[in-house]
Amino acid sequence: MDVSRFKAEILPLKNKLYRFSLHIVRDEELAKDVVQESLIKVWEKREELGQIQNIEAWCMQITRNKSLDKLRSKHVKKTDLFEVEFDTRKERDTPFVVTERGDLMQRIMELIENLPDRQREVMHLRDIEGYAYKEIAEMLGIDINLVKTNLFRARRKLKESLIKVDAYGL
């Protein structure tokens, strides 16, 4: 792989890798470092890229492993992953509607945060990043049925928690 091919095929993945790493390490600067280290590793392994069937999944797996290594080695302080502001404003929305929507989003984020790690990862890759089950299985190194099971359980737990909150106001 030469520089131009690397720029054309690998560098466009940079933002996805960053979002994925940020989801794991929950620190913007650390996520940037992880992505940079991941891209360096991909460049160093460029001779092996011909043997890899799904380069994007391979890059995601490298990023995941590097992110987890960072968490283990530095005991990184976890920050709020969802500090990103969502533009939920509409001209006709009242302050009450905007506040309610914000509260609901915050509640959902907290519920997702409390999911087991594997369920949270699978849900992020499927529902936020939009990856196919097969791609997620390759990235995480697990069976496709385990991906589906984890996603089902995560969604079910989220739904049950939201129903419980709405019913009881807890």
Side-chain angles (χ1 to χ4, degrees):
M1 172 177 278
D2 60 355
V3 175
S4 61
R5 186 170 169 216
F6 184 84
K7 286 180 181 179
E9 294 180 24
I10 305 299
L11 285 185
L13 301 175
K14 181 178 64 170
N15 291 335
K16 278 187 179 182
L17 299 177
Y18 171 76
R19 286 190 309 270
F20 186 53
S21 179
L22 182 62
H23 174 73
I24 296 170
V25 299
R26 298 183 182 100
D27 180 272
E28 291 179 6
E29 293 303 316
L30 190 57
K32 289 177 185 176
D33 291 344
V34 167
V35 171
Q36 187 173 12
E37 289 175 19
S38 298
L39 292 174
I40 290 170
K41 183 168 184 172
V42 170
W43 176 252
E44 290 172 349
K45 302 274 187 179
R46 67 186 176 272
E47 300 303 322
E48 300 171 21
L49 290 178
Q51 302 167 354
I52 297 168
Q53 292 177 346
N54 188 336
I55 293 175
E56 184 175 339
W58 183 68
C59 290
M60 292 292 281
Q61 189 170 26
I62 289 173
T63 302
R64 177 181 180 269
N65 292 340
K66 291 223 172 268
S67 296
L68 293 174
D69 288 346
K70 289 285 185 186
L71 284 178
R72 287 183 196 118
S73 67
K74 299 210 178 213
H75 304 288
V76 176
K77 178 187 171 205
K78 295 181 180 180
T79 59
D80 187 10
L81 169 64
F82 299 104
E83 290 177 5
V84 179
E85 293 182 27
F86 297 104
D87 186 12
T88 58
R89 292 173 281 134
K90 293 182 182 174
E91 289 183 24
R92 61 182 173 258
D93 284 349
T94 65
F96 177 76
V97 171
V98 173
T99 302
E100 283 290 313
R101 189 178 299 125
D103 289 347
L104 177 61
M105 287 303 296
Q106 182 61 35
R107 201 174 321 137
I108 291 170
M109 304 296 175
E110 289 171 5
L111 292 171
I112 291 172
E113 186 66 30
N114 291 325
L115 290 172
D117 290 341
R118 182 59 56 131
Q119 289 179 11
R120 189 174 60 242
E121 279 181 322
V122 170
M123 182 177 248
H124 177 81
L125 289 171
R126 178 70 179 165
D127 294 339
I128 296 173
E129 297 294 333
Y131 285 103
Y133 294 117
K134 185 177 179 182
E135 292 174 314
I136 296 169
E138 290 175 9
M139 285 179 219
L140 300 180
I142 59 176
D143 183 64
I144 193 168
N145 291 321
L146 194 54
V147 170
K148 292 176 181 179
T149 301
N150 278 296
L151 184 62
F152 172 78
R153 288 179 180 164
R155 288 175 176 169
R156 183 181 64 197
K157 188 170 187 176
L158 203 61
K159 180 181 175 183
E160 288 171 355
S161 297
L162 284 172
I163 289 171
K164 181 179 176 183
V165 168
D166 285 341
Y168 301 108
L170 300 175

